[in-house]
Amino acid sequence: QGPITAFVFLNSLQALEDLPFEEGLRRGHDLFGCETTLSEDRYREKLRKGRIHREDLESTLRTVLNGDGQTRVGPSGTRYDLRLAMLLNPVRNAPASEIEWFLAETEARTTSLSGDENQFRQCSAETSAWATRELHGPHAHQFRESWPELVPGESDGWSQDKWAEFSLQALWKVCHRGAQSLLESYPVDPAVRHRDLWFMRSGQDLDRMVQEILIPFCAAFIDQGLATWEMPYRDKGFWRAFHWFYGQPQLLEPWMQGLPSELQRVAAMTPEESIVESLKLLGVSQDEAGDYLTRELLALRGWAGMIWQGEDRGDRIGRPLPMGSLVEFMAVRLVLLRVALANALNRPTNASLEEQRAQWKAEFPRMEKVPVEQRAFLLFQISQWRGWSAAALSSLSSSQWADLFREIEMFDIDARRKAFHLAFERHYRVQALNALAVHSRSRWAPPPEPPLFQSVYCIDAREESFRRHLEEVCPRAETFAAAGFFGVTMYYKGVADAHFQALCPIVVRPKVWVTEEVVYSLSEADRRIAKSRKRFAKASHQIHLRSRSMAAGALLTGSLGVLATIPLVARVLFPRSTARLRGLVDRVMAPPPVTRLRIERLTEEPGQEGDAIGYSLDEMAGIGERILSETGLRSGFSRLVCFFGHGSFCLNNPHKSCYDCGACSGSAGSPNARALAAMLNDPRVRLRLRERGLVIPETTFFLGGLHNTATDDITFFDLDLLPRTHHADFEAARDALEKAAERNAQERCRRFYSAPLDITPGDAKSHVEGRAEDLAQTRPEFGNASNALCVVGRRSLTRGLYMDRRSFLVSYDAALDDEESTILGRILGAVVIVCSGINLQYYFSYVDPAGWGAGTKLPHNITSLLGVMDGAASDLRSGLPWQGVEIHEPVRLLFVIEARAEAMEKIMQRNPAVGNILRNGWVQWALMDPDTAALSLYQDGQLVPYQASVSTLPQRSQSHGWFSGARDHLDFAQIVPSPS
């Protein structure tokens, strides 16, 4: 995971995308020890709430069993029947001692679990008849010994309740005997890490000892300016800096007393040589070295990953790390591990541990038996659901017993969770495909008159609702969508920024630099303000540093501490008013309001300074042609066309960057939108586009803007360049956008329990503004939480369809593409990687918030200005915080692409990264034929025709009529405006 200042959504198992999805999940679970699906109880909760239907489970089982579901298993029924019963009923299991207590202390042996009274009576009758036969049969003596509860002569006088109680006791005994006859063992791989082997023997955690040293050292090494003192020898690399700090005799923990001498011994080695020596001394063979090093890195994966990011993508942070830092990190970790082991074993640090490790591995338990009670208790529950009596089970042969237990244990908790998850995904997939199939029959047709204005947005799921509301309040508005960097890949530095930022998808490394500059007439004022801003920043930094010293800290706390509480309390109690006051103060230090982007390069080669900044005119024309072709906006231009980047601006949120534009590496996309508008307004660029067959009318003017997704504010750039002839067009567009923003805020507020369900649009706008400025607010917005769908095609496919803010929308017109599907290939090259990364990071952060995600925000502390830790020292937390994902439903993203099968095949062949994601099932995908709107779903390596199971959708005249009064996820609906 990269730095939180430039958050990039990535599949947490991105390195495994060359494997099929299920295999990748298994490998990821083995490597990281994190869950890859929800627990069985959480899926059952969704079953109760209607997010999974019985039909979904039945269909999933039929697909998974693939024709083998009719094999007979147990006294009656099939494999399909058995598995369905295990899904529909809670399967409980526990340690053997807990099961014994449960059976002894509860009514489990006297009360049926099935809840079916008729079935229970039938089983009791069967057991009664069976017991009576056995009592008077040739083997009565053996039966009485096995069932002392039945005294000869008393059976005929038992009541029905007594027989019912006996039938359950008999069932348990039969299940227990059957389980005893089939004891099996399962191999368990031995641990390869010394920490695991030593922890088993002694209970001492070597990781804790090593990481108490590594964590603060890593924090100081990668620090971007937060530390009071800069680490000496940082520029010499991790290895040399660690030698300098710990290689001298000093007061150390007892277990570290041998560290200085060991560092002096290996000082002449390179990090690579030290790693080789450490592996040899630790007794790690060459064959297992790769797996061993992987597991040692993942033991502190947050810090190791950040060091790798700072080395590999130094362009995304202010102070890049020296090359080779990750290798040096590993060399230091292995030295610390050897020192810790040497102290634990009372041996020299350079003594070989090969024999010791081999002995520990031999002692490691390699076999694990399934307790009889657990196996019997599973069958005891299943028998009651299936209506199997003790009499029916006792008639099974030994081979039938083996088949029954084998089938039960094949459908273990992991297999059941997989089935639940596939059913969960199927439920939404069927809803989405049905909705698109029905809605495509009534495609929206543009009005005969030209659009009042056109606007282009990011593909972000949050823009789905904004576009829908805009089209409701202004039917003559036409909207499009593209990845939010709008084809403008650049390193960008604003007029008040300290460093360049990469504004493009993570897979792209920009080659061009762009800056924002104050117009020349205000340059002198800008210089004065910049000096004041610099002095203020230095003073603030000094106060920050001195407040952490003993003497100055006490003085500052005593003198200014009380005053500091005033803005603190105000930001919590009166967030909007305090924000306005703070805005007035900020304007004093803000740059002059009129600025321009420096986007035209005057030299041959791009660079970071002077005339090398910017693009050539041909490059600008190429960018303009590309984005207009990809969105389908090559003709029919209105007088005003707006490009809106998006960002989220809120207070006290270390994870702010993950709410910004994922296609802009976790920054706001407004500079990209502004740059594109400036390019397309340039007459020289338009001339080059005309030569390429793309004619933009002289009356068309382009504007760049920003949609603040936290407050739903709209900001426009370069309005001073707007021609007077377009003022009326702009005012009409602005009014429509402001109304849409209020309605969008109202829809968002249905998710916030702090807002009443009957809130008005105006009050909703005020409410979201207050949340963004509230110092105590942990959920300023939910970002892309609940994303589940991505539609790539013409707007007519989705205009007027309520999609509950769950869909990425990507504009694409197959009629404008060539035979090689070049445009679609470019679109999917960015969209598949970005959107699947967003979806899968939400997926993993939800299913295991503590393992894959960042956990709760509440204990987070910003570290090194690059990440967050829990408390004072922990691994860096990667993934998303729980407060940002808690309304999410973890399903793989469903792509619905308006294209033909041959086009997709060419694209997957040309782009292996896209091919891996699509073919290996990291996303789901379907195609819609551009001519017939026929749907086909990709399953098991082939496209299968899809037939909708519904013919109509609910209809409302506006979105509010559908979402009003609801907090949870909503189904699809058609928004059909009334004739008025």
Side-chain angles (χ1 to χ4, degrees):
Q1 179 66 58
I4 59 170
T5 53
F7 195 94
V8 174
F9 286 93
L10 295 173
N11 175 6
S12 302
L13 298 179
Q14 187 187 34
L16 304 177
E17 286 177 351
D18 59 327
L19 300 175
F21 178 67
E22 292 175 10
E23 187 178 342
L25 292 188
R26 285 193 295 271
R27 177 63 175 153
H29 175 74
D30 293 341
L31 279 173
F32 296 96
C34 301
E35 297 296 339
T36 54
T37 57
L38 295 176
S39 67
E40 206 171 352
D41 285 342
R42 293 179 75 183
Y43 284 121
R44 292 189 189 282
E45 181 183 357
K46 295 186 182 297
L47 183 63
R48 288 193 299 271
K49 290 183 175 180
R51 303 307 296 168
I52 304 174
H53 289 170
R54 176 171 178 147
E55 178 189 354
D56 300 312
L57 292 174
E58 293 171 347
S59 176
T60 297
L61 277 181
R62 286 193 290 269
T63 301
V64 170
L65 289 170
N66 194 25
D68 294 333
Q70 299 308 309
T71 305
R72 186 181 176 85
V73 175
S76 63
T78 63
R79 295 181 71 197
Y80 171 85
D81 298 326
L82 174 63
R83 294 193 176 195
L84 184 61
M86 294 177 74
L87 291 176
L88 293 176
N89 299 280
V91 181
R92 303 302 182 196
N93 217 338
S97 58
E98 187 175 331
I99 292 174
E100 291 174 359
W101 178 91
F102 177 76
L103 292 171
E105 300 296 331
T106 69
E107 298 179 349
R109 291 183 180 177
T110 59
T111 304
S112 173
L113 297 173
S114 69
D116 189 333
E117 187 64 27
N118 292 330
Q119 177 180 285
F120 184 42
R121 287 176 181 170
Q122 182 180 347
C123 290
S124 298
E126 290 178 10
T127 304
S128 172
W130 167 68
T132 301
R133 287 196 305 270
E134 293 293 329
L135 277 169
H136 299 91
H139 304 292
H141 177 70
Q142 297 177 5
F143 187 79
R144 290 189 183 95
E145 289 181 351
S146 300
W147 305 93
E149 297 91 340
L150 284 183
V151 179
E154 290 186 348
S155 60
D156 294 338
W158 277 12
S159 66
Q160 185 176 354
D161 291 341
K162 188 69 174 177
W163 274 116
E165 181 179 337
F166 172 72
S167 68
L168 282 174
Q169 294 174 345
L171 179 62
W172 168 249
K173 286 200 172 186
V174 171
C175 291
H176 197 273
R177 287 180 181 177
Q180 281 182 314
S181 66
L182 290 167
L183 291 178
E184 295 181 24
S185 299
Y186 298 89
V188 176
D189 294 332
V192 296
R193 296 184 63 224
H194 292 78
R195 178 267 176 196
D196 300 328
L197 297 170
W198 181 248
F199 186 77
M200 269 199 51
R201 292 178 59 85
S202 68
Q204 186 180 28
D205 190 347
L206 296 176
D207 274 356
R208 183 174 180 180
M209 299 162 63
V210 169
Q211 287 165 194
E212 283 180 349
I213 304 302
L214 267 184
I215 287 174
F217 187 85
C218 289
F221 182 75
I222 71 173
D223 179 67
Q224 300 292 298
L226 191 65
T228 305
W229 297 315
E230 183 175 344
M231 172 177 281
Y233 293 95
R234 179 186 184 274
D235 57 333
K236 301 294 184 183
F238 197 97
W239 178 247
R240 293 301 167 199
F242 191 85
H243 272 263
W244 176 86
F245 194 80
Y246 285 104
Q248 308 169 40
Q250 54 185 296
L251 186 63
L252 296 170
E253 295 285 342
W255 72 269
M256 296 175 60
Q257 295 302 317
L259 179 60
S261 59
E262 180 63 13
L263 289 175
Q264 291 172 10
R265 186 185 71 81
V266 301
M269 295 182 181
T270 65
E272 291 85 353
E273 291 169 342
S274 176
I275 290 174
V276 171
E277 185 201 47
S278 291
L279 290 175
K280 185 176 180 181
L281 293 175
L282 290 167
V284 179
S285 67
Q286 190 171 358
D287 291 340
E288 62 178 333
D291 189 39
Y292 183 88
L293 290 173
T294 296
R295 293 181 183 274
E296 283 295 332
L297 274 177
L298 295 180
L300 203 60
R301 71 178 193 258
W303 285 107
M306 190 63 71
I307 288 172
W308 167 244
Q309 286 283 343
E311 172 187 345
D312 183 59
R313 289 304 305 263
D315 58 323
R316 297 174 60 214
I317 61 178
R319 303 181 65 202
L321 302 186
M323 298 301 294
S325 293
L326 186 66
V327 172
E328 297 178 11
F329 166 87
M330 176 53 70
V332 167
R333 182 177 181 87
L334 293 181
V335 169
L336 285 172
L337 175 61
R338 289 195 292 107
V339 170
L341 277 169
N343 175 77
L345 298 172
N346 196 23
R347 301 175 64 172
T349 54
N350 60 345
S352 174
L353 295 169
E354 184 174 1
E355 293 183 5
Q356 194 77 48
R357 184 166 186 263
Q359 178 186 341
W360 292 348
K361 289 177 67 175
E363 295 173 359
F364 196 84
R366 299 180 63 88
M367 305 296 285
E368 181 183 78
K369 293 182 178 179
V370 178
V372 171
E373 285 75 10
Q374 289 188 4
R375 174 175 283 168
F377 190 56
L378 277 175
L379 181 57
F380 182 59
Q381 297 171 79
I382 293 168
S383 298
Q384 294 179 66
W385 304 329
R386 297 288 299 122
W388 295 340
S389 65
L393 286 173
S394 65
S395 67
L396 296 179
S397 66
S398 57
S399 63
Q400 288 175 317
W401 273 111
D403 290 341
L404 176 58
F405 278 115
R406 188 177 302 111
E407 182 61 31
I408 291 173
E409 287 165 14
M410 280 177 59
F411 202 51
D412 60 7
I413 187 169
D414 291 332
R416 295 195 299 272
R417 287 163 69 177
K418 172 190 169 184
F420 267 122
H421 184 77
L422 292 176
F424 188 33
E425 290 184 329
R426 179 192 182 274
H427 183 77
Y428 181 79
R429 182 176 67 242
V430 168
Q431 282 187 322
L433 294 180
N434 282 348
L436 289 169
V438 171
H439 194 66
S440 66
R441 300 171 194 151
S442 56
R443 291 194 182 192
W444 173 82
E449 63 268 40
L452 185 65
F453 70 97
Q454 295 163 318
S455 49
V456 185
Y457 302 83
C458 181
I459 62 178
D460 191 280
R462 289 167 288 183
E463 303 291 17
E464 180 271 320
S465 60
F466 190 90
R467 293 173 64 188
R468 172 166 31 86
H469 288 296
L470 176 61
E471 291 161 350
E472 287 179 31
V473 300
C474 183
R476 286 185 57 197
E478 191 174 13
T479 67
F480 303 84
F485 71 108
F486 298 116
V488 184
T489 59
M490 61 180 175
Y491 291 113
Y492 172 77
K493 184 167 73 171
V495 68
D497 292 342
H499 306 288
F500 281 97
Q501 296 174 296
L503 300 187
C504 56
I506 184 62
V507 294
V508 180
R509 289 181 186 255
K511 298 179 181 178
V512 173
W513 287 260
V514 171
T515 59
E516 180 188 24
E517 299 174 348
V518 174
V519 294
Y520 188 73
S521 60
L522 298 175
S523 58
E524 186 59 35
D526 180 50
R527 278 193 291 270
R528 290 196 303 269
I529 294 173
K531 288 180 181 178
S532 300
R533 189 165 57 241
K534 192 172 183 179
R535 286 194 294 267
F536 180 77
K538 284 185 176 180
S540 300
H541 187 59
Q542 289 301 314
I543 292 174
H544 169 80
L545 296 179
R546 292 203 164 94
S547 67
R548 279 148 180 79
S549 65
M550 186 174 295
L555 179 62
L556 288 170
T557 301
S559 59
L560 301 179
V562 176
L563 295 177
T565 61
I566 297 174
L568 180 69
V569 173
R571 286 176 177 176
V572 174
L573 298 181
F574 314 105
R576 293 186 69 216
S577 301
T578 307
R580 293 194 190 99
L581 181 60
R582 185 164 54 88
L584 294 175
V585 176
D586 289 344
R587 288 194 191 97
V588 176
M589 295 292 180
V594 185
T595 63
R596 294 285 183 269
L597 295 187
R598 188 170 184 177
I599 59 172
E600 183 177 356
R601 186 175 74 243
L602 302 179
T603 62
E604 188 69 24
E605 294 297 323
Q608 300 184 40
E609 297 177 348
D611 293 340
I613 288 176
Y615 300 86
S616 69
L617 290 174
D618 284 336
E619 289 170 341
M620 293 184 203
I623 292 170
E625 181 185 26
R626 173 173 174 167
I627 196 65
L628 294 177
S629 298
E630 289 179 2
T631 57
L633 186 56
R634 289 184 62 96
S635 59
F637 292 94
S638 63
R639 286 170 53 81
L640 185 66
V641 181
C642 302
F643 293 98
F644 289 109
H646 70 93
S648 181
F649 298 88
C650 49
L651 194 65
N652 191 33
N653 185 8
H655 289 89
K656 170 198 173 303
S657 185
C658 73
Y659 296 115
D660 283 342
C661 184
C664 296
S665 293
S667 296
S670 48
N672 305 71
R674 186 183 182 187
L676 179 59
M679 293 175 188
L680 293 175
N681 283 329
D682 192 321
R684 299 168 298 170
V685 172
R686 292 194 181 190
L687 179 60
R688 284 168 169 76
L689 290 175
R690 182 183 291 272
E691 293 169 354
R692 301 181 186 188
L694 201 163
V695 180
I696 300 175
E698 293 182 2
T699 56
T700 295
F701 187 83
F702 294 90
L703 265 182
L706 168 71
H707 175 207
N708 183 345
T709 56
T711 63
D712 271 314
D713 287 330
I714 297 291
T715 303
F716 296 93
F717 299 102
D718 301 325
L719 279 178
D720 57 308
L721 299 179
L722 182 70
R724 180 176 294 276
T725 54
H726 287 65
H727 285 187
D729 302 276
F730 169 74
E731 290 167 4
R734 181 195 58 200
D735 292 345
L737 289 163
E738 288 177 352
K739 290 179 182 177
E742 289 185 348
R743 291 193 180 192
N744 194 56
Q746 184 186 32
E747 182 171 347
R748 290 175 55 207
C749 280
R750 79 180 189 85
R751 290 293 197 174
F752 300 141
Y753 283 90
S754 58
L757 284 171
D758 59 352
I759 193 169
T760 64
D763 289 343
K765 183 68 166 56
S766 299
H767 187 79
V768 298
E769 289 173 353
R771 291 181 73 93
E773 296 292 345
D774 187 349
L775 187 67
Q777 182 55 253
T778 58
R779 301 170 186 83
E781 67 163 306
F782 281 118
N784 278 303
S786 79
N787 71 85
L789 178 64
C790 180
V791 181
V792 183
R794 290 168 287 183
R795 178 57 173 160
S796 57
L797 292 179
T798 55
R799 180 159 177 160
L801 182 63
Y802 184 90
M803 308 175 83
D804 201 19
R805 294 169 56 87
R806 303 191 68 179
S807 178
F808 301 101
L809 297 178
V810 187
S811 294
Y812 167 68
D813 190 343
L816 301 177
D817 212 345
D818 57 26
E819 293 183 357
E820 296 300 314
S821 301
T822 304
I823 294 175
L824 182 60
R826 287 201 307 257
I827 290 173
L828 296 184
V831 166
V832 167
I833 294 171
V834 170
C835 293
S836 69
I838 293 172
N839 170 261
L840 289 167
Q841 190 144 65
Y842 272 96
Y843 173 102
F844 286 114
S845 294
Y846 185 91
V847 297
D848 192 342
W852 302 113
T856 176
K857 287 181 178 180
L858 301 183
H860 286 175
N861 281 320
I862 298 175
T863 306
S864 307
L865 293 180
L866 289 181
V868 293
M869 293 191 306
D870 285 337
S874 78
D875 198 1
L876 281 186
R877 301 308 308 265
S878 57
L880 298 165
W882 175 248
Q883 286 81 0
V885 302
E886 58 191 326
I887 66 168
H888 189 64
E889 286 193 332
V891 295
R892 285 174 292 171
L893 191 66
L894 171 63
F895 276 89
V896 180
I897 306 168
E898 192 179 20
R900 297 177 179 84
E902 53 270 23
M904 291 301 298
E905 186 60 37
K906 291 177 182 177
I907 291 166
M908 290 190 290
Q909 291 287 349
R910 291 199 303 260
N911 192 327
V914 171
N916 280 339
I917 293 171
L918 296 179
R919 284 200 181 99
N920 289 333
W922 293 91
V923 298
Q924 309 168 85
W925 59 282
L927 296 183
M928 177 176 280
D929 188 277
D931 298 323
T932 65
L935 283 166
S936 53
L937 178 65
Y938 186 79
Q939 289 183 310
D940 298 324
Q942 59 184 346
L943 286 163
V944 179
Y946 180 85
Q947 296 296 327
S949 55
V950 300
S951 57
T952 60
L953 293 175
Q955 293 187 351
R956 297 292 187 274
S957 61
Q958 57 178 349
S959 295
H960 181 260
W962 184 243
F963 68 73
S964 178
R967 292 284 189 201
D968 295 328
H969 298 287
L970 291 172
D971 296 339
F972 292 83
Q974 287 180 306
I975 308 302
V976 182
S978 60
S980 60

